[in-house]
Amino acid sequence: MVVKPDSASFPPPNAQPHASWETRGFWEGAGRGELVLQWCTECSAVQHKPRGLCVDCLSDEGLVHFVASGEGTVHSFTVTEQNQAKGFVDVCPYIMAYIRLAEGPRILSAITECDPDSVAIGSSVRAAFVAQERTDEEAFAVPVFHLC
Amino acid sequence: MVQNGFPQNVAIAGVYEHPSRFSPNKTEFQIMAESAKGALDDAGLTRNDVDGLFGASMSMGLMGIVDLAEYLDLYPDYLDGTNIGGSSFVAHVSHAAAAINAGLCNVALVLYGSTAASNSMAIGTGGSGGSKNPDVAFSTPYGMTTVGSYAMYAKLHMETFGTTSEQLAEIAVTMRKHAALNPLAKMRTPISIDDVLSSRMISRPLHLLDCCIISDGGGAIVVTSAERARDLRKTPVSILGSSEAVQHQGTGYNDLLTIAAKQSGEVAFGQAGVSREDIDLAMIYDSFTITVLATLENLGFCEPGEGGDFVSNAGIALGSKLPVNPDGGGMSSNHPGMRGIFLVIEAVKQLRNECEARQVSGAEIALAHGTGGTIGDKHSGATLILGIDR
């Protein structure tokens, strides 16, 4: 499910992803409420972040996108209490985290809509998707994670 | 791992640490030029002897090293503007040694200058503004900061090994204790473990006093052949080993707790043919307390997970088996954004027995390890092992 943010929500409105042709699949997938990863049908590697070829075998022929489960566990996290950057000043404290996805790779993200003290390394999380107001035509959303 | 006898008979002949910690009326290049004079004077050389120019700074980008050559009116035979973050200058010394061994230059000048403090630059806590660069889109929306990445490393280290905030705080306390002995250090008032723990939280579990300071500053290093160095003003400091490495997210599977220092340290120790016990002092990049702990473990001074105990009870203070950063480090002496050059400068001064109140007595072999970028995310590491013959 893709949710519309209210004014105080995370990520702040000025922190929006922009895509290259290599990363477009990821951000468009998020816009549909899907966590999209890349899988190489030639060497079976699953890679994140997305690239124009599989860097394990350097093949671009076998690389395909697939919809991941959106499930994972907290690998590590920090509650950021100070970030002077525009937008983030207003959302501190926020929880930035590395999530170990069920499909293997680690992804940098945020854990939202919970008390920071309730997050622990190893906590099970599930992807959620935040669609930001954009001035361009892109139908992107930002994957974040919620505690299960 | 490459070990073909490198480095061979290369020495550091001169160093200079710019004394300024706040220079609102100077430019980066001006600080570099003043530092160049200091290091050349230290060596007993002149600008006309320089045939290799190495440099990096927070604002030097494409063509930066050419801009620097123009500013200095130099026409070197060898240029290296490698910028891999704060470790750059440790790597420059290694690259200079390689260039000298290859006969590409004979007198290499390594330069750094910064006005980070007078520009009010938020180095560690200003991450993720509204960049439109697709390459940073995977961190921009999440408020990635430098300190935040180190904090996630620290949190994982604590969870995995039971490392405590008190143990990290001890590193900051030790650096401040050392700074009190360094007349140039910016922060010289002693602090306690409680002071660190009660300082404001920046990115859990890292407090304000777990973080380095921000200052202006700069420095210079002169590298030349051992043969040339022998006839110069100061006792030459030999380059025994030097290597660099990177660590990053790869394709999403790398062990977060393994940092670049593991790879660069193994190679440098192999080249030098010395053991960890032979190191009389270590200059370790201390952007944050956790940086020191992670680096000590990854360089093999203790086992993974033992860093907390290693630094406790003044374990890395002057008088211990392995004094770390007798100058007070980036936490208390100076941190203009890319501190690597000061690691080398202090190591050389210590080996030359010039450090007075903070002198590690009888120091003959020193290690310097610079970290660039962010541990917990992508970073570079460069290790240098230096020795002196008395």
Side-chain angles (χ1 to χ4, degrees):
Chain A
M1 188 182 71
V2 180
V3 296
K4 288 268 180 203
D6 59 45
S7 61
S9 75
F10 191 94
N14 65 317
Q16 302 193 340
H18 293 266
S20 69
W21 76 268
E22 289 185 294
T23 62
R24 178 161 289 279
F26 180 89
W27 297 111
E28 288 183 346
R32 299 188 300 269
E34 297 171 348
L35 190 68
V36 169
L37 297 176
Q38 291 181 323
W39 176 60
C40 178
T41 56
E42 296 195 0
C43 78
S44 297
V46 175
Q47 69 182 12
H48 182 79
K49 300 171 270 202
R51 294 149 165 105
L53 73 176
C54 167
V55 290
D56 265 30
C57 69
L58 297 179
S59 162
D60 58 356
E61 310 224 321
L63 195 69
V64 294
H65 286 107
F66 72 100
V67 178
S69 64
E71 290 170 4
T73 55
V74 176
H75 188 65
S76 191
F77 70 100
T78 180
V79 181
T80 300
E81 307 210 5
Q82 181 178 330
N83 181 351
Q84 283 104 310
K86 184 169 172 259
F88 287 97
V89 176
D90 310 319
V91 295
C92 289
Y94 60 88
I95 309 165
M96 183 171 73
Y98 279 122
I99 307 299
R100 173 68 68 196
L101 297 173
E103 290 77 9
R106 188 169 61 222
I107 184 172
L108 177 71
S109 190
I111 302 171
T112 63
E113 296 182 22
C114 69
D115 175 358
D117 292 331
S118 64
V119 180
I121 288 177
S123 296
S124 293
V125 290
R126 183 173 296 125
F129 301 88
V130 181
Q132 299 162 299
E133 287 288 336
R134 296 182 71 103
T135 53
D136 58 22
E137 301 299 305
E138 303 286 11
F140 295 165
V142 177
V144 296
F145 285 81
H146 293 162
L147 292 176
C148 289
Chain B
M1 192 187 294
V2 182
Q3 286 184 17
N4 58 353
F6 174 81
Q8 285 181 8
N9 305 316
V10 188
I12 295 176
V15 293
Y16 183 76
E17 177 184 327
H18 202 285
S20 173
R21 299 299 187 259
F22 190 68
S23 315
N25 299 318
K26 290 187 193 295
T27 65
E28 276 186 1
F29 280 175
Q30 188 179 0
I31 292 172
M32 289 183 178
E34 290 172 3
S35 300
K37 175 171 170 30
L40 289 167
D41 285 352
D42 188 50
L45 290 166
T46 73
R47 60 192 300 290
N48 298 326
D49 295 306
V50 175
D51 59 3
L53 182 64
F54 298 68
S57 77
M58 304 272 279
S59 61
M60 277 166 70
L62 185 70
M63 297 284 288
I65 193 72
V66 178
D67 294 334
L68 179 61
E70 182 188 52
Y71 183 95
L72 295 166
D73 193 23
L74 286 178
Y75 306 87
D77 300 314
Y78 196 87
L79 293 167
D80 187 336
T82 300
N83 190 334
I84 52 172
S87 61
S88 296
F89 316 96
V90 184
H92 288 164
V93 172
S94 178
H95 298 182
I100 290 163
N101 278 171
L104 299 172
C105 66
N106 191 30
V107 175
L109 180 62
V110 179
L111 297 179
Y112 171 56
S114 165
T115 54
S118 46
N119 293 348
S120 301
M121 199 181 282
I123 296 171
T125 58
S128 300
S131 171
K132 293 200 168 175
N133 181 353
D135 296 337
V136 298
F138 292 91
S139 56
T140 293
Y142 303 117
M144 182 64 133
T145 57
T146 302
V147 61
S149 180
Y150 281 87
M152 287 197 286
Y153 184 98
K155 176 71 183 172
L156 184 59
H157 201 280
M158 289 175 165
E159 179 82 9
T160 308
F161 299 117
T163 307
T164 66
S165 288
E166 286 77 6
Q167 290 171 329
L168 292 181
E170 175 119 10
I171 296 169
V173 170
T174 299
M175 294 307 110
R176 188 61 63 87
K177 202 186 291 177
H178 291 171
L181 302 171
N182 178 3
L184 290 180
K186 184 167 177 173
M187 308 292 274
R188 304 185 62 200
T189 311
I191 53 172
S192 66
I193 288 177
D194 280 347
D195 290 335
V196 180
L197 299 182
S198 61
S199 64
R200 115 177 155 261
M201 192 63 84
I202 303 294
S203 196
R204 295 186 211 171
L206 298 179
H207 309 77
L208 177 68
L209 292 179
D210 283 299
C211 307
C212 62
I213 58 172
I214 298 174
S215 70
D216 294 341
I221 303 166
V222 176
V223 187
T224 188
S225 64
E227 192 185 354
R228 180 91 182 256
R230 208 168 295 134
D231 302 326
L232 298 178
R233 188 169 286 157
K234 294 284 179 73
T235 309
V237 168
S238 301
I239 299 170
L240 304 177
S242 70
S243 188
E244 64 207 55
V246 290
Q247 195 51 258
H248 46 64
Q249 299 298 323
T251 55
Y253 300 87
N254 291 346
D255 173 24
L256 264 193
L257 295 179
T258 299
I259 65 169
K262 187 171 169 60
Q263 184 181 328
S264 65
E266 271 170 21
V267 177
F269 273 104
Q271 291 169 340
V274 301
S275 70
R276 275 64 175 175
E277 291 72 35
D278 294 328
I279 302 295
D280 296 313
L281 77 138
M283 296 299 303
I284 305 286
Y285 204 115
D286 59 338
S287 43
F288 302 94
T289 49
I290 186 66
T291 321
V292 176
L293 190 143
T295 307
L296 289 169
E297 289 182 356
N298 277 270
L299 287 174
F301 286 108
C302 59
E303 292 297 314
E306 289 179 359
D309 285 338
F310 190 87
V311 302
S312 293
N313 304 311
I316 56 170
L318 279 163
S320 73
K321 244 176 68 190
L322 186 73
V324 171
N325 301 349
D327 64 338
M331 310 218 70
S332 289
S333 177
N334 60 344
H335 191 287
M338 299 168 68
R339 187 164 202 276
I341 202 159
F342 307 116
L343 305 173
V344 182
I345 293 170
E346 176 74 3
V348 167
K349 286 180 172 172
Q350 286 282 345
L351 294 173
R352 296 193 317 205
N353 198 21
E354 295 172 354
C355 293
E356 301 181 345
R358 65 178 194 277
Q359 179 64 43
V360 176
S361 73
E364 291 183 348
I365 300 179
L367 174 145
H369 181 85
T371 298
T374 47
I375 285 174
D377 191 6
K378 60 187 163 200
H379 63 274
S380 64
T383 310
L384 198 58
I385 299 175
L386 302 171
I388 196 162
D389 282 328
R390 287 191 214 288

